[in-house]
Amino acid sequence: GAVVSQHPSWVICKSGTSVKIECRSLDFQATTMFWYRQFPKQSLMLMATSNEGSKATYEQGVEKDKFLINHASLTLSTLTVTSAHPEDSSFYICSAPGQANTDTQYFGPGTRLTVL
Amino acid sequence: QKEVEQDPGPLSVPEGAIVSLNCTYSNSAFQYFMWYRQYSRKGPELLMYTYSSGNKEDGRFTAQVDKSSKYISLFIRDSQPSDSATYLCAMKRSNTGKLIFGQGTTLQVKP
């Protein structure tokens, strides 16, 4: 199956700082990647769809100026949480569709963000 | 009302038991149904993928979709302690559509 990696796996930062999370498709190309957020004991909520070479599409209620997404290549998408606050502490997970782009999604291992 | 409803549990069973996990949904437009397994502090791992109604079997896992009742199930036979995880149902309207997840059911299989 397709492999998606994320870096870092966990990060702790101070309130007001920015944090960048990387999502890579290791053995396939992904023109589209998805970013999810998961709070403890809750389900995954789609934040945005990252499109290679164009602007990301954000879900309703997600601040695009706070969660900056860059999909600069066919194997890398980045999510930057700007001016992070404690309420941004969460588990951030990316995913990418399989080779045919109509397949189901393959998820990365997630990044746990803690904002102090 | 949430589009996808899933009992969060927790569900605790003895090793070897048959486990039944379920989700209901409200949108009849959903055509693609998936079950993911998520271990603590890890990303979801795809278990089963089903299009439209019917059954699908893969080893100890069987997925069922009943579109008339808007109800999907995942059965785990001969459950093992290593099956202890959170199981998430997910569904979408089209091949390239957005995945909608259930809340996830936490399963614990005791030795």
Side-chain angles (χ1 to χ4, degrees):
Chain A
V3 178
V4 176
S5 71
Q6 278 184 246
H7 177 80
S9 55
W10 59 270
V11 58
I12 302 173
C13 69
K14 293 182 179 180
S15 185
T17 61
S18 295
V19 174
K20 179 185 284 188
I21 303 170
E22 292 185 350
C23 176
R24 293 182 185 273
S25 55
L26 296 185
D27 51 359
F28 66 104
Q29 294 182 335
T31 57
T32 301
M33 290 183 175
F34 302 93
W35 286 96
Y36 294 83
R37 181 167 49 184
Q38 186 179 33
F39 291 107
K41 298 191 184 299
Q42 294 189 25
S43 190
L44 282 77
M45 297 299 295
L46 180 65
M47 298 175 65
T49 301
S50 172
N51 304 298
E52 189 267 336
S54 64
K55 292 183 179 180
T57 304
Y58 290 82
E59 295 299 303
Q60 190 174 9
V62 177
E63 300 175 58
K64 60 181 180 181
D65 293 331
K66 181 170 184 60
F67 298 98
L68 301 179
I69 291 173
N70 187 352
H71 196 148
S73 78
L74 289 172
T75 59
L76 174 65
S77 175
T78 61
L79 168 68
T80 301
V81 183
T82 62
S83 187
H85 291 283
E87 59 265 30
D88 298 323
S89 299
S90 188
F91 195 49
Y92 291 86
I93 309 174
C94 69
S95 72
Q99 291 278 13
N101 208 39
T102 58
D103 203 351
T104 189
Q105 293 178 24
Y106 297 93
F107 286 83
T111 297
R112 184 161 301 280
L113 170 64
T114 301
V115 184
L116 302 177
Chain B
Q1 182 188 8
K2 294 179 182 178
E3 280 193 284
V4 181
E5 297 276 1
Q6 185 177 8
D7 187 339
L11 179 62
S12 182
V13 301
E15 183 176 355
I18 297 175
V19 176
S20 174
L21 304 167
N22 312 292
C23 287
T24 59
Y25 61 95
S26 57
N27 192 332
S28 58
F30 287 131
Q31 297 281 347
Y32 300 84
F33 305 91
M34 284 136 278
W35 286 95
Y36 286 87
R37 177 174 62 195
Q38 186 177 25
Y39 292 111
S40 181
R41 300 176 183 268
K42 301 291 184 183
E45 170 195 11
L46 178 67
L47 282 177
M48 302 290 281
Y49 178 83
T50 308
Y51 170 70
S52 194
S53 286
N55 295 357
K56 187 173 185 178
E57 186 174 323
D58 184 2
R60 295 185 295 114
F61 299 91
T62 299
Q64 288 185 351
V65 175
D66 182 350
K67 291 188 69 181
S68 62
S69 302
K70 298 191 183 67
Y71 188 87
I72 69 171
S73 301
L74 177 70
F75 297 96
I76 307 174
R77 291 184 298 279
D78 188 24
S79 57
Q80 303 295 311
S82 58
D83 294 327
S84 299
T86 296
Y87 290 79
L88 296 150
C89 65
M91 49 198 77
K92 57 182 180 176
R93 297 172 181 80
S94 65
N95 260 339
T96 55
K98 181 172 65 174
L99 267 182
I100 307 297
F101 283 88
Q103 187 176 349
T105 300
T106 300
L107 170 67
Q108 183 179 22
V109 181
K110 296 184 176 179

